[in-house]
Amino acid sequence: VFPMVAGLYREFAKADTFSKKRDVFDQREIFDRRYTRPMAKIGDAKTLANDIHRKIRADILNGRLAVGQRLKLAEMAGEYGVSPNIVREALTVLAGEKLVRTQPQQGFAVISLTADELRDLTNVRIAIEGMALTQAIQNGGLDWEAGLLAAHHRLANTPVKLDGDGDQLNEAYVEAHSAFHAALVQACGSPLLLEIRQSLHDASELYRRMAYLKRKGVKDTGREHKKLVQAALSRDVGRATTMLALHFESTTRICMEAGLTELRAPSRAA
């Protein structure tokens, strides 16, 4: 492609009459329509797909699309002003992020968990994140300690809600909370373990957000985080992993007590 462009420019420079320059210009226009513009459209399509993914993700996490709600491609395409293919692509990515469930013969739906599924997710998170925390405490040096203290300082000084006791979650708090838990285990030394931990963290994001809004004692959460930091920095593996388990279990308990899990009969084995 680039040699062709360079050649056209050379031909244009050599042309010594207006008609010859016009002929070269016409060739460049044909080249532009055939190569350059389609490439731009591909880039625009990818940008559009990413934008729609972010919008749908935000609508799920903010509760605009309810837990368990069926997601109809045609309706969503009209609402977001894009083609059904763009919506399908975004929902497929969200399914990989555990925010959307694919249903046989029914398409897509916002993720919903039974009480047993949420407990199972919590137990696996405790096991995986507890392992990562143990290794981080054993391996972590001064940089890990400094990073953890900085992440906790940011979290402790960021309000959970934008409107006091209302129901508008502060996105800055969500980001600070995610960064804090990542900082806790950052020094574990295993990229694969960190990847699995992050995947489980993302899978629980929707329910964690709902628990933020249902939780009555925000200060209790702050104390839990502070105790986690103290145990980690004192290199007390037993206390740190116990605090982590209690922290995760409290979120699960709030969701279950608030009736946020789905009443769905377990599928029978064939």
Side-chain angles (χ1 to χ4, degrees):
V1 171
F2 291 107
M4 293 175 66
V5 174
L8 287 171
Y9 276 112
R10 284 195 297 270
E11 290 295 324
F12 188 84
K14 291 178 182 178
D16 54 3
T17 66
F18 175 78
S19 61
K20 289 181 179 179
K21 288 183 181 292
R22 185 181 60 188
D23 290 341
V24 175
F25 181 82
D26 289 342
Q27 293 179 46
R28 171 60 197 274
E29 184 66 18
I30 293 171
F31 172 85
D32 195 37
R33 285 199 301 268
R34 181 173 297 177
Y35 297 103
T36 307
R37 290 173 188 170
M39 289 172 66
K41 289 181 179 179
I42 291 172
D44 291 344
K46 289 182 178 179
T47 300
L48 181 59
N50 290 336
D51 288 343
I52 296 304
H53 163 260
R54 285 193 294 267
K55 288 179 181 179
I56 298 175
R57 188 177 194 276
D59 286 342
I60 292 173
L61 294 177
N62 293 332
R64 184 171 174 272
L65 296 173
V67 170
Q69 178 178 335
R70 286 189 60 190
L71 303 173
K72 301 178 181 179
L73 295 181
E75 291 181 5
M76 295 182 72
E79 182 174 351
Y80 293 102
V82 295
S83 71
N85 284 339
I86 293 290
V87 175
R88 182 183 291 106
E89 182 178 342
L91 294 179
T92 300
V93 174
L94 290 166
E97 296 174 355
K98 309 301 183 189
L99 288 174
V100 166
R101 184 194 301 271
T102 56
Q103 300 176 312
Q105 310 300 323
Q106 297 182 36
F108 298 93
V110 178
I111 193 69
S112 61
L113 299 177
T114 64
D116 286 343
E117 288 170 336
L118 183 56
R119 274 192 292 262
D120 186 35
L121 174 59
T122 302
N123 290 337
V124 175
R125 286 190 68 209
I126 289 171
I128 294 297
E129 195 138 348
M131 183 189 304
L133 180 56
T134 297
Q135 294 182 14
I137 290 173
Q138 294 170 344
N139 300 332
L142 185 59
D143 288 344
W144 170 69
E145 293 179 354
L148 179 55
L149 286 170
H152 179 253
H153 179 75
R154 177 187 172 201
L155 177 63
N157 289 279
T158 305
V160 176
K161 300 177 183 178
L162 290 175
D163 49 355
D165 294 329
D167 58 359
Q168 190 173 0
L169 190 61
N170 185 1
E171 289 298 324
Y173 179 85
V174 175
E175 293 176 5
H177 184 262
S178 179
F180 169 75
H181 278 280
L184 264 176
V185 300
Q186 190 60 43
C188 79
S190 170
L192 179 58
L193 185 55
L194 289 177
E195 183 179 341
I196 295 171
R197 186 215 72 87
Q198 187 62 50
S199 175
L200 293 169
H201 177 89
D202 293 344
S204 62
E205 175 69 11
L206 180 58
Y207 284 87
R208 186 164 50 251
R209 282 173 173 256
M210 292 189 292
Y212 289 150
L213 298 177
K214 296 292 182 179
R215 192 187 298 269
K216 296 179 180 179
V218 174
K219 291 183 179 179
D220 290 343
T221 306
R223 281 195 289 268
E224 290 175 8
H225 292 144
K226 185 176 181 179
K227 289 179 180 179
L228 259 173
V229 172
Q230 291 172 340
L233 294 181
S234 64
R235 310 290 171 157
D236 190 335
V237 171
R239 187 159 64 95
T241 53
T242 298
M243 287 301 307
L244 184 71
L246 292 173
H247 183 55
F248 287 171
E249 288 168 351
S250 68
T251 299
T252 300
R253 184 174 61 255
I254 290 168
C255 289
M256 294 174 63
E257 290 175 351
L260 299 177
T261 51
E262 181 184 358
L263 295 175
R264 172 160 39 92
S267 57
R268 295 180 179 179

